[in-house]
Amino acid sequence: MIKLSQTSKMPAKSWSIPAGGKYCPGSKGAEVCEGCYAQKGFYHMPTVKAPREHNAEDWKRDGWVTDNVHPGAATGWKKEIKGMPYFRWFDSGDMYHPKLIDKIHAVIIKTGETKHWIPTKMWDVPGTKAIINNLHRYKNTVVRKSAKNINQVINTSHNSAVFTKDVFYSDQYPDVHRCKAPDQDHKCKDCRACWDKRVLSIGYLKS
């Protein structure tokens, strides 16, 4: 069964797995992952943990790609990814395994009308860098390479993400788009910058 999430912040559903450990190898030693939001608060609730733990094993089965695109009545979902205008991969966890990335690739190919956003810290992990870059070449997909340290700007000419405790990205780096969520009740509302390839770098406030 495909189990999607709907966070209160975002206008789109997402597919996620647990955060930390083997599911986030790219975050090892990352300053921005200290006090990870996906390892505290409501993420500890059984109803939130259960679908992520389920997904961590479910993706390995045959038929996972097909069920994401055309799930059918057995999945318990009334609407599949196909046809959704926006979709986010990983509001917790990351693309920790090459075979998982390959399957996400297959879903993206079959859902060309959906805009996919994939934040990741796997961009410099051996064995995944090339296939992650391959995902980004699709017009309907934005792979945002997430910075690992506070105020670290990876590359403002590529779709990336910055985390900061101040406003440096608006003062010193005008090319970095400032996330609007902190100014609008911590919600995306009508903003879709994360899914927009034209927005080359986004700055998020690290609390």
Side-chain angles (χ1 to χ4, degrees), residues 102-134:
D102 286 342
K103 287 194 172 184
I104 291 172
H105 182 185
V107 173
I108 286 171
I109 291 173
K110 294 176 182 294
T111 55
E113 72 287 356
T114 300
K115 290 184 179 295
H116 296 266
W117 163 34
I118 312 176
T120 184
K121 290 184 176 65
M122 297 293 293
W123 47 271
D124 65 347
V125 176
T128 60
K129 181 177 179 180
I131 50 180
I132 285 174
N133 286 337
N134 186 47

Side-chain angles (χ1 to χ4, degrees), residues 34-83:
E34 296 176 2
C36 173
Y37 71 88
Q39 291 186 290
K40 60 184 180 181
F42 77 91
Y43 278 88
H44 281 303
M45 295 174 59
T47 54
V48 177
K49 290 176 63 177
R52 286 161 176 77
E53 292 171 351
H54 166 86
N55 288 343
E57 294 300 319
D58 185 59
W59 73 263
K60 301 171 186 178
R61 65 177 171 84
D62 294 338
W64 184 83
V65 171
T66 299
D67 285 351
N68 265 291
V69 180
H70 297 292
T75 65
W77 284 94
K78 295 181 179 179
K79 190 173 182 181
E80 62 269 25
I81 293 176
K82 188 175 182 65

Side-chain angles (χ1 to χ4, degrees), residues 77-92:
W77 284 94
K78 295 181 179 179
K79 190 173 182 181
E80 62 269 25
I81 293 176
K82 188 175 182 65
M84 290 184 182
Y86 297 94
F87 191 78
R88 173 178 174 172
W89 294 92
F90 305 102
D91 63 72
S92 62

Side-chain angles (χ1 to χ4, degrees), residues 4 8 16 34-35 47 58 100 106 140 155 198 201 203:
L4 305 182
S8 59
S16 299
E34 296 176 2
T47 54
D58 185 59
L100 172 58
N140 66 326
N155 188 344
R198 297 171 298 179
S201 194

Side-chain angles (χ1 to χ4, degrees), residues 176-195:
V176 178
H177 175 85
R178 184 178 186 274
C179 173
K180 296 180 180 180
D183 301 323
Q184 48 191 34
D185 196 28
H186 298 284
K187 297 182 184 299
C188 297
K189 294 192 174 180
D190 62 351
C191 179
R192 301 293 182 271
C194 293
W195 287 271

Side-chain angles (χ1 to χ4, degrees), residues 5 11 26 28 32 37 41 64 72 83 87 91 101 103 123 149 156 175 187 200 207:
S5 305
K28 185 177 181 179
V32 300
Y37 71 88
W64 184 83
F87 191 78
D91 63 72
I101 302 174
K103 287 194 172 184
W123 47 271
N149 298 310
T156 56
D175 292 337
K187 297 182 184 299
L200 297 179
S207 59

